[in-house]
Amino acid sequence: PPPSRRVPGPRAAEGQARPGTAARTSAGGPGPASALAAAATGPAAGGPPAAVRQPDPGTTAQPPAANRAAPAGAAPATEPTAGRSEDPDGVSPDATGHRTSPAARPTTTGWGGLLFLLPLVAELGLPGRVVAAPDRFGAALRPVLHGMGRLVVARAVPDVGPADADDPAVLAFAGLVPGSDPPGPVPPEVLAPEVDALVAALADRMARGPAGARGSERALLVAVCRRRAVIEADPGWIDVLLDPDEVSVDVRRAGLDLDPGHLPWLGCVLRFRYG
């Protein structure tokens, strides 16, 4: 009779791979043997599979670096501003001592209304007189305007004195962007009569409205010039961003906050914006 064939037990069957098992294991997951082993050694039903590695206790999963929030106090990443010139050697502009980076320029001022007076400067003919009398005013208009702007603030708040030489509104009054080097001084005896004429022209303009001029010179200058503003400027262009709460009916009726536009004698475009 033929010899009897030995039937393998369950444990022996587990170790035998059927044809095609290796292919299915590599392509679609663990084979029957590994699946049985995972079921035998894994946690109770409802827990995670044994093949999934869990984070160590006390650790927190982190999102990808691209989506991870910056630590508190860290400077946010910024994109380069289109059109902004950069030094070819990579040195920050303010590191050279010759110019200031736009991001570092002080732009906030409490005297934004000072720039309402620039159209009056043109009406008084000051730019032409400076050109015609260099012996009196000096060789350039900017130092005269810068000194006048500081003196107007000193008359508005005598207890405080002249505005800072680098105040953004005072620099813009001279056609300069925030962060520029202030012009040299002009003798007070030259500036005083020009400021007198400017304040008189302002009082006359404000008197045309129903409310009339605002009493004293100090009250008039504070009412018109003392306004919170942000100066956004590039060479040849100055925007004065004013708080909507600073809108004055009297100033609007006097036409002082109308956009002057291009001022060739100042070398720039000047605009007033609320919002």
Side-chain angles (χ1 to χ4, degrees):
S4 60
R5 180 178 298 176
R6 184 179 179 181
V7 179
R11 294 186 179 276
E14 291 177 7
Q16 294 179 357
R18 291 180 299 175
T21 300
R24 287 198 303 270
T25 301
S26 61
S34 59
L36 291 173
T41 59
V52 179
R53 182 179 180 182
Q54 299 299 315
D56 296 333
T59 61
T60 303
Q62 296 293 328
N67 300 325
R68 192 177 302 162
T78 56
E79 295 293 333
T81 301
R84 179 177 297 172
S85 59
E86 301 290 346
D87 286 347
D89 56 1
V91 178
S92 175
D94 59 357
T96 65
H98 298 294
R99 57 194 182 281
T100 306
S101 169
R105 293 172 180 167
T107 60
T108 304
T109 178
W111 296 99
L114 178 64
L115 289 110
F116 292 161
L117 309 186
L118 279 173
L120 302 179
V121 169
E123 291 180 7
L124 293 171
L126 178 62
R129 287 188 287 110
V130 169
V131 173
D135 294 340
R136 173 176 174 78
F137 294 102
L141 176 63
R142 294 193 196 280
V144 177
L145 294 173
H146 183 265
M148 289 177 63
R150 298 189 68 198
L151 187 54
V152 166
V153 172
R155 292 194 180 185
V157 285
D159 298 338
V160 177
D164 293 336
D166 61 351
D167 186 286
V170 174
L171 290 172
F173 194 76
L176 298 171
V177 301
S180 300
D181 293 332
V186 175
E189 59 271 17
V190 174
L191 298 176
E194 301 302 330
V195 173
D196 290 340
L198 184 60
V199 173
L202 175 61
D204 179 67
R205 179 69 70 87
M206 293 294 289
R208 299 175 190 176
R214 291 177 174 270
S216 68
E217 173 185 282
R218 178 177 180 178
L220 173 66
L221 293 176
V222 168
V224 174
C225 299
R226 187 149 197 175
R227 300 176 185 277
R228 299 186 303 274
V230 173
I231 308 297
E232 290 186 352
D234 286 306
W237 195 285
I238 297 175
D239 281 342
V240 184
L241 281 63
L242 296 153
D243 193 318
D245 294 337
E246 302 281 355
V247 174
S248 167
V249 175
D250 295 337
V251 169
R252 177 58 58 89
R253 284 173 174 166
L256 294 173
D257 61 352
L258 298 177
D259 283 346
H262 182 223
L263 302 175
W265 50 271
L266 193 61
C268 69
V269 173
L270 176 64
R271 300 193 311 172
F272 301 124
R273 294 162 49 195
Y274 287 96

